[in-house]
Amino acid sequence: MTSVDTLFRPFKHGKLSLENRIVMAPMTRSHSPNQVPGQDVADYYRRRAEAEVGLIITEGTTVDHPVASFDTNVPAFHGEAALAGWANVVEEVHRVGGKIVPQLWHVGMARKPGSGPHPDLPSAGPSGLIKPGKQVAEPMSEQDVTDVIEAFAKGAAAAKSIGMDGIEIHGAHGYLVDQFFWGGTNERSDAWGGNQVQRARFAEEIVKACRAATDPDFPIILRFSQWKQQDYDVRLAPTEAELEAFLAPLTDAGVDIFHCSTRRFWEPEFDGSTMNLAGWTKKMTGKPTISVGSVSLNQEFLATFAGQDASNDADHMEDLLERMEADEFDLIAVGRALISDHEWAKKIHEGRFNDLNEFSKEALATYY
């Protein structure tokens, strides 16, 4: 296997300095009763940090908007109790030399009516569409849009105040920010809708508001995806030109790092090149990128969630190392493999690939 040293090079961009290139991907675990992360959450993240994960991106943590969440066990990033819980998480991670950012999240129309902390309220989305052709709520008003932008900014300010090392804005997978991106769920004819570039304005304003609420050097990561949970085959930008046009205003708005979510990191994004989405995004924006998708495993997440076990795959690890050696992207996010084996990064560093725990659906029932 190609040397793993490429994974353990330091990374620095602005105020974000990391010991290596390994990122813990954000993964919903629903272990925060009443939206408050407890000591078990702090222990969970600390274990990965002390086992050589360079940067932890927390599970999605919801912003201060009444219908941002669909589960009272998903942590919030607002309110005295929840923020005190997150401050403890930061302290635990920093104590062992780790770095951590919260993923700020609004689930939008993915929230089923009657769920979450305020079950009596309707869900929020740009056009009230859960998927193309299926409207289940009224479109967000101008005031709703303003309130959500302010909620993200409030979350960013809170992250800075409790010592987080930056933030990630969840703009992927068919949740609220992505619902504005996607023409299939954004049919607005006002300033928040229109063509592909115009539909990105909501995210631009969130980025600008988060920047204004923090400082010029506070790291802002934006996660985006081509695919949606409503349609795994859909693409925001089917061509290179469309992707470049989509990314340009987000870059100008102040995104520091793009987290490019794919289901399999080794798949090329466009014909004629082996580069994946993170590679193209880095090339087009000049910004650092995070790649992700079934790292070290031979099954993507849908198959394993359906009950198929995922075995460790040395060929895919070889591909990853070669891409990182070539600087196709800057950081690699590891998801399910870090659920089943909190020492994944340490074992990789020590060349103990054969000692990695296998991932199975049963691993999702554990929280360690």
Side-chain angles (χ1 to χ4, degrees):
M1 184 178 288
T2 300
S3 172
V4 300
D5 289 350
T6 188
L7 277 175
F8 293 90
R9 294 173 294 156
F11 170 83
K12 181 173 175 57
H13 181 72
K15 284 188 175 180
L16 185 63
S17 296
L18 308 177
E19 292 295 319
N20 61 51
R21 305 302 177 103
I22 297 171
V23 177
M24 182 176 182
M27 294 174 285
T28 300
R29 301 307 309 274
S30 298
H31 277 265
S32 298
N34 299 314
Q35 301 183 279
V36 176
Q39 186 60 44
D40 58 340
V41 176
D43 293 341
Y44 170 78
Y45 288 119
R46 187 204 67 244
R47 290 185 188 102
R48 276 91 186 149
E50 63 188 352
E52 299 191 49
V53 171
L55 174 66
I56 289 168
I57 303 176
T58 73
E59 62 211 278
T61 177
T62 53
V63 297
D64 190 9
H65 187 257
V67 293
S69 180
F70 52 28
D71 181 354
T72 56
N73 291 309
V74 165
F77 208 79
H78 58 88
E80 185 176 346
L83 290 177
W86 283 117
N88 181 50
V89 174
V90 172
E91 183 178 354
E92 291 281 348
V93 169
H94 284 175
R95 182 169 60 81
V96 296
K99 299 292 177 68
I100 184 168
V101 303
Q103 186 188 70
L104 302 181
W105 188 26
H106 192 304
V107 303
M109 296 304 300
R111 172 185 174 272
K112 293 181 180 179
S115 66
H118 299 281
D120 54 314
L121 297 178
S123 299
S127 300
L129 294 161
I130 181 57
K131 62 181 181 179
K134 187 175 181 180
Q135 184 169 1
V136 297
E138 292 300 311
M140 291 171 67
S141 68
E142 187 73 26
Q143 187 61 54
D144 292 332
V145 172
T146 298
D147 289 348
V148 172
I149 292 170
E150 291 178 353
F152 274 92
K154 181 179 177 181
K160 185 174 185 297
S161 71
I162 64 172
M164 287 281 188
D165 298 292
I167 59 165
E168 174 170 282
I169 297 165
H170 197 342
H173 308 163
Y175 295 112
L176 183 65
V177 174
D178 198 20
Q179 288 163 15
F180 274 87
F181 285 153
W182 184 26
T185 47
N186 184 350
E187 297 181 347
R188 300 176 73 101
S189 57
D190 62 3
W192 306 104
N195 63 31
Q196 182 191 48
V197 173
Q198 292 167 328
R199 294 194 305 270
R201 184 184 168 216
F202 180 62
E204 292 172 53
E205 295 303 320
I206 288 174
V207 172
K208 291 176 183 177
C210 290
R211 176 67 68 214
T214 54
D215 65 52
D217 297 320
F218 191 68
I220 297 176
I221 304 167
L222 175 69
R223 194 178 213 206
F224 78 99
S225 64
Q226 295 268 35
W227 62 272
K228 320 295 162 203
Q229 59 185 293
Q230 298 93 329
D231 184 345
Y232 287 102
D233 295 321
V234 77
R235 292 161 68 83
L236 272 182
T239 67
E240 295 143 58
E242 288 170 293
L243 180 62
E244 190 164 19
F246 167 73
L247 292 169
L250 296 167
T251 304
D252 293 342
V255 174
D256 292 301
I257 300 173
F258 286 96
H259 188 174
C260 310
S261 182
T262 56
R263 292 160 63 192
R264 309 168 187 88
F265 78 85
W266 57 86
E267 292 184 340
E269 191 57 36
F270 300 112
D271 292 340
S273 169
T274 60
M275 280 198 306
N276 68 11
L277 182 61
W280 279 104
T281 299
K282 180 178 180 177
K283 178 180 179 181
M284 291 171 172
T285 66
K287 296 286 187 177
T289 58
I290 305 171
S291 189
V292 67
S294 304
V295 174
S296 82
L297 301 176
N298 68 347
Q299 294 277 11
E300 55 90 34
F301 69 94
L302 281 182
T304 58
F305 286 1
Q308 297 182 40
D309 291 349
S311 299
N312 297 317
D313 193 313
D315 290 340
H316 288 156
M317 279 301 299
E318 179 71 24
D319 188 5
L320 171 64
L321 295 170
E322 290 174 358
R323 288 171 186 266
M324 296 207 71
E325 188 70 35
D327 286 323
E328 181 177 330
F329 40 82
D330 301 273
L331 301 159
I332 186 67
V334 182
R336 289 165 294 147
L338 272 170
I339 289 179
S340 59
D341 195 335
H342 70 281
E343 292 189 318
W344 185 92
K346 183 178 181 181
K347 289 179 180 179
I348 291 293
H349 200 184
E350 295 172 352
R352 297 161 55 202
F353 186 82
N354 292 331
D355 292 340
L356 294 174
N357 297 342
E358 301 284 335
F359 178 85
S360 67
K361 188 177 180 182
E362 287 67 36
L364 299 175
T366 65
Y367 194 69
Y368 182 80

